[in-house]
Amino acid sequence: MDNNTNHKSIARKRGVRIFFNIVFAVFIIGAISFFFDDNPYNVHLGWFTLLGLQVVASLYQMWIEIEDKHRWSAVFSFLLAVGALTLLIVRGTQYLI
């Protein structure tokens, strides 16, 4: 029973890791496409995409650290995510106005 539970846990972690790697790749491809676009105003959108990547990556890292019982590292990752999200919201509203 314990071996079967361990196998399911490993398979679930692998699936989550694959999902987040796909999300990271989409963010990076989106940012690159905005940076090298013909429209010079899309560079801001590329930076916003990279900030979104930072938010998602920090939250994913926080989740991993919580599972590994690294509380202070998880708090630091959460603060990085909050900082990136704050910067994303502040700069995004300035860009829209």
Coordinates of all heavy atoms in Angstrom, one line a residue:
M1 N 0.8 -1.2 0.0 CA 0.0 0.0 0.0 C 0.9 1.3 0.0 O 0.6 2.2 -0.7 CB -0.9 0.0 1.2 CG -1.8 1.1 1.3 SD -3.1 1.0 0.1 CE -4.1 2.4 0.5
D2 N 1.9 1.3 0.8 CA 2.8 2.4 0.9 C 3.5 2.7 -0.4 O 3.7 3.8 -0.8 CB 3.7 2.3 2.1 CG 4.6 3.5 2.3 OD1 4.0 4.6 2.2 OD2 5.7 3.4 2.6
N3 N 4.0 1.6 -1.1 CA 4.7 1.7 -2.3 C 3.8 2.3 -3.4 O 4.2 3.1 -4.2 CB 5.3 0.3 -2.7 CG 6.2 0.5 -3.9 OD1 6.8 1.5 -4.1 ND2 6.5 -0.6 -4.6
N4 N 2.5 1.9 -3.4 CA 1.6 2.4 -4.4 C 1.3 3.8 -4.2 O 1.2 4.6 -5.1 CB 0.3 1.5 -4.4 CG -0.6 1.8 -5.5 OD1 -0.2 2.3 -6.5 ND2 -1.9 1.6 -5.4
T5 N 1.2 4.2 -2.9 CA 1.0 5.7 -2.6 C 2.2 6.5 -3.0 O 2.0 7.6 -3.6 CB 0.7 5.8 -1.1 OG1 -0.4 5.0 -0.8 CG2 0.4 7.2 -0.8
N6 N 3.4 6.0 -2.8 CA 4.6 6.7 -3.2 C 4.7 6.8 -4.7 O 5.1 7.9 -5.2 CB 5.8 5.9 -2.6 CG 7.1 6.7 -2.7 OD1 7.0 8.0 -2.9 ND2 8.2 6.0 -2.7
H7 N 4.3 5.8 -5.4 CA 4.3 5.8 -6.9 C 3.3 6.9 -7.4 O 3.7 7.6 -8.3 CB 4.0 4.5 -7.5 CG 4.0 4.4 -8.9 ND1 5.1 4.6 -9.7 CD2 3.0 4.3 -9.8 CE1 4.8 4.6 -11.0 NE2 3.5 4.3 -11.1
K8 N 2.2 7.0 -6.8 CA 1.2 8.0 -7.2 C 1.7 9.4 -6.9 O 1.5 10.3 -7.7 CB -0.2 7.7 -6.5 CG -0.9 6.5 -7.0 CD -2.2 6.4 -6.3 CE -3.0 5.2 -6.8 NZ -4.3 5.0 -6.1
S9 N 2.3 9.5 -5.8 CA 2.9 10.9 -5.4 C 4.0 11.3 -6.4 O 4.0 12.4 -6.8 CB 3.5 10.8 -4.0 OG 4.1 12.0 -3.7
I10 N 4.8 10.4 -6.8 CA 5.9 10.7 -7.7 C 5.3 11.0 -9.1 O 5.7 11.9 -9.8 CB 6.9 9.5 -7.8 CG1 7.7 9.4 -6.5 CG2 7.8 9.7 -9.0 CD1 8.6 8.2 -6.4
A11 N 4.3 10.3 -9.5 CA 3.6 10.5 -10.8 C 2.9 11.9 -10.8 O 3.0 12.6 -11.8 CB 2.6 9.4 -11.1
R12 N 2.3 12.2 -9.7 CA 1.6 13.5 -9.6 C 2.6 14.7 -9.6 O 2.4 15.7 -10.3 CB 0.8 13.6 -8.3 CG 0.0 14.9 -8.2 CD -0.8 14.9 -6.9 NE 0.0 15.0 -5.7 CZ 0.4 16.2 -5.2 NH1 0.0 17.3 -5.7 NH2 1.2 16.3 -4.1
K13 N 3.8 14.5 -8.9 CA 4.8 15.5 -8.9 C 5.4 15.7 -10.3 O 5.7 16.8 -10.8 CB 5.9 15.2 -8.0 CG 5.5 15.4 -6.5 CD 6.7 15.1 -5.6 CE 6.3 15.3 -4.2 NZ 7.4 15.0 -3.3
R14 N 5.5 14.6 -11.0 CA 6.1 14.6 -12.4 C 5.1 15.4 -13.3 O 5.5 16.2 -14.1 CB 6.3 13.2 -12.9 CG 7.0 13.3 -14.3 CD 7.3 11.9 -14.8 NE 8.3 11.2 -13.9 CZ 8.2 10.0 -13.6 NH1 7.3 9.2 -14.1 NH2 9.2 9.5 -12.8
G15 N 3.8 15.1 -13.2 CA 2.8 15.8 -14.0 C 2.7 17.3 -13.7 O 2.6 18.1 -14.6
V16 N 2.8 17.6 -12.4 CA 2.8 19.1 -12.1 C 4.1 19.7 -12.6 O 4.0 20.9 -13.2 CB 2.7 19.2 -10.5 CG1 3.0 20.7 -10.1 CG2 1.4 18.8 -10.1
R17 N 5.2 19.1 -12.6 CA 6.5 19.7 -13.1 C 6.4 19.8 -14.6 O 6.8 20.9 -15.1 CB 7.6 18.8 -12.7 CG 9.0 19.4 -13.0 CD 10.1 18.6 -12.6 NE 10.2 17.4 -13.4 CZ 10.4 16.2 -13.0 NH1 10.7 16.0 -11.7 NH2 10.5 15.1 -13.8
I18 N 5.8 18.9 -15.3 CA 5.7 19.0 -16.8 C 4.7 20.2 -17.1 O 5.0 20.9 -18.0 CB 5.2 17.7 -17.4 CG1 6.3 16.6 -17.3 CG2 4.7 17.8 -18.8 CD1 5.9 15.2 -17.7
F19 N 3.6 20.3 -16.3 CA 2.7 21.3 -16.6 C 3.3 22.7 -16.4 O 3.2 23.6 -17.2 CB 1.5 21.2 -15.6 CG 0.5 22.4 -15.7 CD1 -0.3 22.6 -16.7 CD2 0.6 23.3 -14.6 CE1 -1.2 23.7 -16.8 CE2 -0.3 24.4 -14.7 CZ -1.1 24.6 -15.7
F20 N 4.1 22.9 -15.3 CA 4.7 24.2 -15.1 C 5.8 24.5 -16.1 O 6.0 25.6 -16.5 CB 5.2 24.3 -13.6 CG 4.1 24.7 -12.7 CD1 3.5 23.8 -11.8 CD2 3.7 26.1 -12.6 CE1 2.5 24.2 -11.0 CE2 2.8 26.5 -11.8 CZ 2.2 25.6 -10.9
N21 N 6.5 23.4 -16.5 CA 7.5 23.7 -17.6 C 6.9 24.1 -18.9 O 7.4 25.0 -19.6 CB 8.4 22.4 -17.8 CG 9.4 22.2 -16.7 OD1 9.8 23.1 -16.0 ND2 9.8 21.0 -16.5
I22 N 5.7 23.6 -19.2 CA 5.0 24.1 -20.4 C 4.6 25.5 -20.2 O 4.7 26.3 -21.1 CB 3.8 23.1 -20.7 CG1 4.3 21.8 -21.2 CG2 2.9 23.7 -21.7 CD1 3.2 20.7 -21.3
V23 N 4.1 25.8 -19.0 CA 3.6 27.2 -18.7 C 4.8 28.2 -18.8 O 4.8 29.3 -19.4 CB 3.0 27.3 -17.4 CG1 2.8 28.8 -16.9 CG2 1.6 26.6 -17.4
F24 N 6.0 27.8 -18.3 CA 7.2 28.6 -18.4 C 7.6 28.8 -19.8 O 8.0 29.9 -20.2 CB 8.3 28.0 -17.6 CG 8.1 27.9 -16.1 CD1 8.8 26.9 -15.3 CD2 7.2 28.7 -15.4 CE1 8.6 26.8 -14.0 CE2 7.0 28.7 -14.1 CZ 7.7 27.7 -13.3
A25 N 7.6 27.8 -20.6 CA 7.9 27.9 -22.0 C 7.0 28.8 -22.8 O 7.5 29.6 -23.6 CB 7.9 26.5 -22.7
V26 N 5.7 28.8 -22.5 CA 4.8 29.7 -23.1 C 5.1 31.1 -22.7 O 5.0 32.0 -23.6 CB 3.3 29.3 -22.7 CG1 2.3 30.4 -23.1 CG2 2.9 28.0 -23.4
F27 N 5.4 31.4 -21.5 CA 5.7 32.7 -21.0 C 7.0 33.2 -21.7 O 7.0 34.4 -22.2 CB 6.0 32.8 -19.5 CG 4.7 33.1 -18.7 CD1 4.2 32.1 -17.9 CD2 4.1 34.3 -18.7 CE1 3.0 32.4 -17.2 CE2 3.0 34.6 -18.0 CZ 2.5 33.6 -17.2
I28 N 8.0 32.4 -21.8 CA 9.3 32.8 -22.5 C 9.1 33.0 -24.0 O 9.6 34.0 -24.5 CB 10.3 31.8 -22.2 CG1 10.7 31.8 -20.7 CG2 11.6 32.0 -23.0 CD1 11.6 30.7 -20.2
I29 N 8.3 32.2 -24.6 CA 8.1 32.3 -26.1 C 7.3 33.6 -26.3 O 7.5 34.4 -27.2 CB 7.4 31.1 -26.6 CG1 8.4 29.9 -26.7 CG2 6.8 31.4 -28.0 CD1 7.7 28.6 -27.0
G30 N 6.3 33.9 -25.4 CA 5.5 35.1 -25.5 C 6.3 36.3 -25.4 O 6.2 37.3 -26.1
A31 N 7.2 36.3 -24.4 CA 8.1 37.5 -24.1 C 9.0 37.7 -25.3 O 9.2 38.8 -25.7 CB 8.9 37.3 -22.8
I32 N 9.6 36.6 -25.8 CA 10.5 36.8 -27.0 C 9.8 37.3 -28.2 O 10.3 38.2 -28.9 CB 11.2 35.4 -27.3 CG1 12.2 35.1 -26.2 CG2 11.9 35.5 -28.6 CD1 12.8 33.8 -26.2
S33 N 8.6 36.9 -28.4 CA 7.8 37.3 -29.6 C 7.5 38.8 -29.4 O 7.4 39.6 -30.4 CB 6.6 36.5 -29.8 OG 5.6 36.7 -28.7
F34 N 7.2 39.3 -28.2 CA 7.0 40.7 -28.0 C 8.2 41.5 -28.1 O 8.2 42.7 -28.6 CB 6.3 41.0 -26.6 CG 4.9 40.6 -26.5 CD1 4.4 39.8 -25.6 CD2 4.0 41.1 -27.5 CE1 3.0 39.5 -25.5 CE2 2.6 40.8 -27.4 CZ 2.2 40.0 -26.4
F35 N 9.4 41.0 -27.6 CA 10.6 41.8 -27.7 C 11.1 42.0 -29.2 O 11.6 43.1 -29.5 CB 11.7 41.1 -27.0 CG 11.7 41.3 -25.5 CD1 11.8 40.2 -24.6 CD2 11.4 42.5 -24.9 CE1 11.8 40.4 -23.3 CE2 11.4 42.7 -23.5 CZ 11.5 41.6 -22.7
F36 N 10.9 41.0 -30.0 CA 11.4 41.1 -31.4 C 10.3 41.3 -32.4 O 10.4 41.0 -33.6 CB 12.2 39.8 -31.7 CG 13.4 39.6 -30.9 CD1 13.4 38.6 -29.9 CD2 14.5 40.5 -31.0 CE1 14.5 38.5 -29.1 CE2 15.6 40.3 -30.2 CZ 15.6 39.3 -29.3
D37 N 9.2 42.0 -32.0 CA 8.1 42.3 -32.8 C 8.5 43.6 -33.6 O 9.4 44.4 -33.2 CB 6.9 42.5 -32.0 CG 5.6 42.6 -32.8 OD1 5.7 42.4 -34.0 OD2 4.5 42.8 -32.2
D38 N 7.8 43.9 -34.7 CA 8.0 45.1 -35.4 C 7.5 46.4 -34.7 O 8.0 47.5 -34.9 CB 7.3 45.1 -36.8 CG 8.0 44.0 -37.7 OD1 9.2 43.8 -37.5 OD2 7.3 43.5 -38.6
N39 N 6.5 46.2 -33.8 CA 5.9 47.3 -33.1 C 6.8 47.6 -31.8 O 6.9 46.7 -31.0 CB 4.5 47.0 -32.7 CG 3.8 48.2 -32.1 OD1 4.4 49.2 -31.8 ND2 2.5 48.0 -31.8
P40 N 7.4 48.8 -31.7 CA 8.3 49.0 -30.6 C 7.6 49.2 -29.3 O 8.2 49.0 -28.2 CB 9.0 50.4 -31.0 CG 8.1 51.0 -31.9 CD 7.4 49.9 -32.7
Y41 N 6.3 49.4 -29.3 CA 5.5 49.5 -28.0 C 5.2 48.1 -27.4 O 4.8 48.1 -26.3 CB 4.2 50.3 -28.3 CG 4.5 51.7 -28.8 CD1 4.2 52.1 -30.1 CD2 5.0 52.6 -27.9 CE1 4.5 53.3 -30.5 CE2 5.2 53.9 -28.3 CZ 5.0 54.3 -29.6 OH 5.3 55.5 -30.0
N42 N 5.4 47.1 -28.1 CA 5.2 45.7 -27.6 C 6.3 45.3 -26.6 O 6.2 44.3 -25.9 CB 5.0 44.7 -28.7 CG 3.7 44.8 -29.3 OD1 2.8 45.4 -28.8 ND2 3.6 44.2 -30.5
V43 N 7.4 46.1 -26.5 CA 8.5 45.7 -25.6 C 7.9 45.7 -24.2 O 8.3 44.9 -23.3 CB 9.7 46.7 -25.8 CG1 10.7 46.4 -24.7 CG2 10.2 46.5 -27.2
H44 N 7.0 46.7 -23.9 CA 6.4 46.7 -22.5 C 5.7 45.4 -22.2 O 5.7 44.9 -21.1 CB 5.5 47.9 -22.4 CG 6.1 49.2 -22.5 ND1 6.9 49.7 -21.5 CD2 6.1 50.2 -23.4 CE1 7.4 50.9 -21.8 NE2 6.9 51.2 -23.0
L45 N 5.0 44.9 -23.2 CA 4.2 43.7 -23.0 C 5.2 42.5 -22.8 O 4.9 41.6 -22.0 CB 3.3 43.4 -24.2 CG 2.2 44.4 -24.4 CD1 1.5 44.1 -25.7 CD2 1.3 44.5 -23.3
G46 N 6.3 42.6 -23.4 CA 7.3 41.5 -23.2 C 7.8 41.5 -21.7 O 8.0 40.5 -21.1
W47 N 8.0 42.8 -21.2 CA 8.5 42.9 -19.8 C 7.4 42.4 -18.9 O 7.6 41.8 -17.8 CB 8.9 44.3 -19.5 CG 10.3 44.6 -20.1 CD1 10.5 45.5 -21.1 CD2 11.5 44.0 -19.7 NE1 11.9 45.4 -21.3 CE2 12.5 44.6 -20.5 CE3 11.9 43.0 -18.8 CZ2 13.8 44.2 -20.4 CZ3 13.2 42.7 -18.7 CH2 14.2 43.2 -19.5
F48 N 6.1 42.8 -19.2 CA 5.0 42.3 -18.4 C 4.9 40.8 -18.4 O 4.6 40.2 -17.4 CB 3.7 42.9 -18.9 CG 3.6 44.4 -18.7 CD1 2.8 45.2 -19.5 CD2 4.3 45.1 -17.6 CE1 2.7 46.5 -19.4 CE2 4.2 46.4 -17.5 CZ 3.4 47.2 -18.3
T49 N 5.2 40.2 -19.5 CA 5.1 38.7 -19.6 C 6.2 38.1 -18.8 O 6.0 37.1 -18.1 CB 5.3 38.3 -21.1 OG1 4.3 39.0 -21.9 CG2 5.2 36.8 -21.3
L50 N 7.4 38.7 -18.8 CA 8.5 38.2 -17.9 C 8.1 38.4 -16.4 O 8.5 37.6 -15.6 CB 9.8 38.9 -18.2 CG 10.5 38.5 -19.5 CD1 11.8 39.2 -19.7 CD2 10.7 37.0 -19.5
L51 N 7.5 39.5 -16.1 CA 7.0 39.6 -14.7 C 6.0 38.6 -14.3 O 6.0 38.1 -13.2 CB 6.4 41.0 -14.5 CG 7.5 42.2 -14.2 CD1 6.8 43.5 -14.2 CD2 8.2 41.9 -13.0
G52 N 5.1 38.3 -15.2 CA 4.1 37.2 -15.0 C 4.8 35.9 -14.8 O 4.4 35.0 -14.0
L53 N 5.9 35.6 -15.6 CA 6.7 34.4 -15.4 C 7.3 34.4 -14.1 O 7.3 33.3 -13.4 CB 7.8 34.4 -16.5 CG 8.8 33.3 -16.4 CD1 8.2 31.9 -16.6 CD2 10.0 33.5 -17.3
Q54 N 7.8 35.5 -13.6 CA 8.4 35.5 -12.2 C 7.4 35.2 -11.2 O 7.7 34.5 -10.2 CB 9.0 36.9 -12.0 CG 9.7 37.0 -10.6 CD 10.8 36.1 -10.4 OE1 11.6 35.8 -11.4 NE2 11.0 35.5 -9.3
V55 N 6.2 35.7 -11.3 CA 5.1 35.4 -10.3 C 4.8 34.0 -10.3 O 4.8 33.3 -9.2 CB 3.8 36.3 -10.6 CG1 2.7 35.8 -9.8 CG2 4.1 37.7 -10.4
V56 N 4.6 33.4 -11.5 CA 4.3 31.9 -11.5 C 5.5 31.1 -11.0 O 5.3 30.1 -10.3 CB 3.9 31.5 -13.0 CG1 3.7 30.0 -13.1 CG2 2.6 32.2 -13.3
A57 N 6.7 31.4 -11.4 CA 7.8 30.7 -11.0 C 8.0 30.8 -9.5 O 8.4 29.8 -8.8 CB 9.1 31.2 -11.7
S58 N 7.8 31.9 -8.9 CA 8.0 32.1 -7.5 C 6.9 31.3 -6.7 O 7.2 30.7 -5.7 CB 7.9 33.5 -7.1 OG 9.0 34.3 -7.6
L59 N 5.7 31.3 -7.2 CA 4.7 30.5 -6.5 C 4.9 29.0 -6.6 O 4.7 28.3 -5.7 CB 3.3 30.9 -7.1 CG 2.8 32.3 -6.7 CD1 1.5 32.6 -7.4 CD2 2.7 32.5 -5.3
Y60 N 5.4 28.6 -7.8 CA 5.7 27.2 -8.0 C 6.9 26.8 -7.0 O 6.8 25.7 -6.4 CB 6.1 26.9 -9.4 CG 6.6 25.5 -9.7 CD1 5.7 24.4 -9.5 CD2 7.9 25.3 -10.2 CE1 6.2 23.1 -9.8 CE2 8.3 24.0 -10.4 CZ 7.5 22.9 -10.2 OH 7.9 21.7 -10.5
Q61 N 7.9 27.6 -6.9 CA 9.0 27.4 -6.1 C 8.6 27.3 -4.6 O 9.0 26.5 -3.8 CB 10.1 28.4 -6.2 CG 11.4 28.1 -5.5 CD 12.1 26.9 -5.9 OE1 12.0 26.5 -7.1 NE2 12.7 26.2 -5.0
M62 N 7.6 28.2 -4.2 CA 7.1 28.3 -2.9 C 6.4 26.9 -2.6 O 6.5 26.4 -1.5 CB 6.1 29.4 -2.7 CG 5.5 29.6 -1.3 SD 4.2 30.8 -1.2 CE 2.9 29.9 -2.0
W63 N 5.6 26.4 -3.5 CA 4.9 25.2 -3.4 C 5.9 24.0 -3.1 O 5.6 23.2 -2.3 CB 4.0 24.9 -4.6 CG 3.3 23.7 -4.5 CD1 2.2 23.3 -3.7 CD2 3.5 22.5 -5.4 NE1 1.8 22.1 -4.0 CE2 2.5 21.5 -5.0 CE3 4.3 22.2 -6.4 CZ2 2.5 20.3 -5.6 CZ3 4.2 21.0 -7.0 CH2 3.3 20.1 -6.6
I64 N 7.0 24.0 -3.9 CA 8.0 23.0 -3.7 C 8.6 23.1 -2.3 O 8.8 22.1 -1.6 CB 9.0 23.0 -4.8 CG1 8.4 22.6 -6.2 CG2 10.2 22.2 -4.5 CD1 9.4 22.9 -7.3
E65 N 8.9 24.3 -1.9 CA 9.6 24.5 -0.6 C 8.7 24.1 0.5 O 9.1 23.7 1.6 CB 10.1 25.9 -0.5 CG 11.3 26.1 -1.5 CD 11.6 27.5 -1.7 OE1 10.9 28.4 -1.2 OE2 12.7 27.8 -2.3
I66 N 7.4 24.4 0.4 CA 6.4 24.0 1.4 C 6.4 22.5 1.6 O 6.3 21.9 2.7 CB 5.0 24.6 1.2 CG1 5.0 26.1 1.4 CG2 4.0 23.9 2.0 CD1 3.8 26.8 1.0
E67 N 6.4 21.8 0.4 CA 6.4 20.3 0.5 C 7.6 19.8 1.1 O 7.6 18.7 1.8 CB 6.2 19.7 -0.9 CG 4.8 19.8 -1.4 CD 4.6 19.0 -2.7 OE1 5.6 18.7 -3.4 OE2 3.5 18.7 -3.1
D68 N 8.8 20.4 0.9 CA 10.0 20.0 1.5 C 10.3 20.5 2.9 O 11.3 20.3 3.5 CB 11.2 20.4 0.6 CG 11.2 19.7 -0.7 OD1 10.6 18.6 -0.8 OD2 11.8 20.2 -1.7
K69 N 9.3 21.2 3.5 CA 9.3 21.7 4.8 C 10.4 22.8 5.0 O 11.0 22.9 6.1 CB 9.6 20.6 5.8 CG 8.6 19.4 5.7 CD 7.4 19.7 6.5 CE 6.6 18.4 6.6 NZ 5.7 18.1 5.5
H70 N 10.6 23.6 4.0 CA 11.6 24.7 4.1 C 10.7 26.0 4.2 O 10.4 26.7 3.2 CB 12.5 24.8 2.9 CG 13.4 23.6 2.7 ND1 13.6 23.0 1.5 CD2 14.1 22.9 3.6 CE1 14.4 22.0 1.7 NE2 14.7 21.9 3.0
R71 N 10.4 26.3 5.4 CA 9.4 27.4 5.7 C 9.9 28.8 5.3 O 9.2 29.5 4.6 CB 9.0 27.4 7.1 CG 7.9 28.4 7.4 CD 7.5 28.3 8.8 NE 8.6 28.4 9.7 CZ 8.5 28.6 11.0 NH1 7.4 28.7 11.6 NH2 9.6 28.8 11.7
W72 N 11.2 29.1 5.7 CA 11.7 30.4 5.4 C 12.0 30.7 3.9 O 11.8 31.8 3.4 CB 12.9 30.7 6.3 CG 12.5 30.8 7.7 CD1 12.8 30.0 8.7 CD2 11.7 31.9 8.3 NE1 12.2 30.4 9.9 CE2 11.6 31.6 9.7 CE3 11.1 33.0 7.8 CZ2 10.9 32.4 10.5 CZ3 10.4 33.8 8.7 CH2 10.3 33.5 10.0
S73 N 12.4 29.6 3.2 CA 12.6 29.8 1.8 C 11.2 30.0 1.1 O 11.1 30.7 0.1 CB 13.3 28.5 1.2 OG 14.5 28.4 1.8
A74 N 10.2 29.3 1.6 CA 8.9 29.5 1.0 C 8.4 30.9 1.3 O 7.7 31.5 0.4 CB 7.9 28.5 1.6
V75 N 8.6 31.4 2.4 CA 8.2 32.8 2.7 C 9.0 33.8 1.8 O 8.4 34.7 1.2 CB 8.5 33.2 4.2 CG1 8.4 34.7 4.5 CG2 7.6 32.4 5.1
F76 N 10.3 33.5 1.6 CA 11.0 34.4 0.6 C 10.5 34.3 -0.8 O 10.3 35.3 -1.5 CB 12.5 34.0 0.7 CG 13.4 34.8 -0.2 CD1 13.6 36.2 0.1 CD2 13.9 34.3 -1.4 CE1 14.4 36.9 -0.7 CE2 14.7 35.1 -2.2 CZ 15.0 36.4 -1.8
S77 N 10.2 33.1 -1.2 CA 9.6 32.9 -2.6 C 8.2 33.6 -2.7 O 7.9 34.2 -3.7 CB 9.4 31.5 -2.9 OG 10.7 30.8 -3.0
F78 N 7.4 33.6 -1.6 CA 6.1 34.3 -1.6 C 6.3 35.8 -1.7 O 5.6 36.4 -2.4 CB 5.4 33.9 -0.3 CG 4.1 34.6 -0.2 CD1 3.0 34.3 -1.0 CD2 3.9 35.6 0.7 CE1 1.8 35.0 -1.0 CE2 2.7 36.3 0.8 CZ 1.6 36.0 0.0
L79 N 7.3 36.3 -1.0 CA 7.6 37.7 -1.0 C 8.1 38.2 -2.4 O 7.7 39.3 -2.9 CB 8.6 38.1 0.1 CG 8.1 38.0 1.5 CD1 9.3 38.3 2.5 CD2 7.0 39.0 1.7
L80 N 8.9 37.3 -3.1 CA 9.3 37.6 -4.4 C 8.1 37.6 -5.4 O 8.0 38.5 -6.2 CB 10.3 36.6 -4.9 CG 11.7 36.7 -4.5 CD1 12.6 35.6 -5.0 CD2 12.3 38.0 -5.0
A81 N 7.1 36.7 -5.2 CA 5.9 36.7 -6.0 C 5.1 37.9 -5.8 O 4.6 38.5 -6.7 CB 5.1 35.4 -5.7
V82 N 4.9 38.3 -4.5 CA 4.1 39.5 -4.2 C 4.8 40.7 -4.8 O 4.1 41.6 -5.3 CB 3.9 39.6 -2.7 CG1 3.4 41.0 -2.3 CG2 3.0 38.5 -2.2
G83 N 6.1 40.8 -4.6 CA 6.8 42.0 -5.2 C 6.7 42.1 -6.7 O 6.4 43.1 -7.3
A84 N 6.8 40.9 -7.4 CA 6.7 40.9 -8.9 C 5.2 41.2 -9.3 O 5.0 42.0 -10.2 CB 7.1 39.6 -9.4
L85 N 4.3 40.7 -8.5 CA 2.9 41.0 -8.8 C 2.5 42.5 -8.6 O 1.8 43.1 -9.4 CB 2.0 40.1 -8.0 CG 0.5 40.2 -8.3 CD1 0.2 39.7 -9.7 CD2 -0.3 39.3 -7.3
T86 N 3.1 43.0 -7.5 CA 2.9 44.5 -7.2 C 3.5 45.3 -8.4 O 2.9 46.2 -8.8 CB 3.5 44.8 -5.9 OG1 3.0 44.0 -4.9 CG2 3.3 46.3 -5.6
L87 N 4.7 45.0 -8.8 CA 5.3 45.7 -9.9 C 4.5 45.5 -11.2 O 4.4 46.5 -11.9 CB 6.8 45.2 -10.1 CG 7.6 46.0 -11.0 CD1 7.8 47.4 -10.5 CD2 9.0 45.3 -11.1
L88 N 4.0 44.4 -11.4 CA 3.2 44.1 -12.6 C 1.9 44.9 -12.6 O 1.6 45.5 -13.6 CB 2.9 42.6 -12.7 CG 2.1 42.1 -13.9 CD1 2.9 42.3 -15.1 CD2 1.7 40.7 -13.7
I89 N 1.3 45.0 -11.4 CA 0.0 45.8 -11.3 C 0.3 47.3 -11.5 O -0.4 48.0 -12.2 CB -0.7 45.5 -10.0 CG1 -1.2 44.0 -10.1 CG2 -1.8 46.5 -9.8 CD1 -1.8 43.5 -8.8
V90 N 1.3 47.8 -10.8 CA 1.6 49.2 -10.8 C 2.1 49.6 -12.2 O 1.6 50.6 -12.7 CB 2.7 49.6 -9.7 CG1 3.3 51.0 -9.9 CG2 2.2 49.4 -8.3
R91 N 3.0 48.9 -12.8 CA 3.5 49.3 -14.1 C 2.4 49.0 -15.2 O 2.3 49.8 -16.2 CB 4.7 48.5 -14.5 CG 5.9 48.9 -13.6 CD 6.4 50.3 -13.7 NE 6.9 50.5 -15.1 CZ 7.2 51.6 -15.6 NH1 7.1 52.7 -14.8 NH2 7.7 51.7 -16.8
G92 N 1.6 48.0 -15.0 CA 0.5 47.8 -15.9 C -0.5 48.9 -15.9 O -1.0 49.2 -17.0
T93 N -0.9 49.4 -14.8 CA -1.8 50.5 -14.7 C -1.2 51.8 -15.3 O -1.9 52.5 -15.9 CB -2.3 50.7 -13.3 OG1 -1.2 50.9 -12.4 CG2 -3.2 49.6 -12.8
Q94 N 0.1 52.0 -15.1 CA 0.7 53.1 -15.7 C 0.7 53.0 -17.2 O 0.6 54.0 -17.9 CB 2.1 53.3 -15.1 CG 2.2 53.8 -13.7 CD 3.6 53.9 -13.2 OE1 4.5 53.5 -13.9 NE2 3.8 54.4 -12.0
Y95 N 0.9 51.8 -17.7 CA 1.0 51.6 -19.1 C -0.4 51.8 -19.8 O -0.5 52.3 -20.9 CB 1.5 50.1 -19.4 CG 1.6 49.8 -20.9 CD1 2.5 50.3 -21.7 CD2 0.7 48.9 -21.4 CE1 2.6 50.0 -23.0 CE2 0.7 48.5 -22.7 CZ 1.7 49.1 -23.5 OH 1.8 48.7 -24.9
L96 N -1.4 51.4 -19.1 CA -2.8 51.5 -19.6 C -3.3 52.9 -19.6 O -4.2 53.3 -20.4 CB -3.8 50.6 -18.9 CG -3.5 49.1 -19.1 CD1 -4.5 48.3 -18.2 CD2 -3.7 48.7 -20.5
I97 N -2.8 53.7 -18.6 CA -3.3 55.1 -18.5 C -2.7 56.0 -19.5 O -1.7 56.0 -20.1 CB -3.1 55.6 -17.1 CG1 -4.0 54.8 -16.1 CG2 -3.4 57.1 -17.0 CD1 -3.8 55.2 -14.7

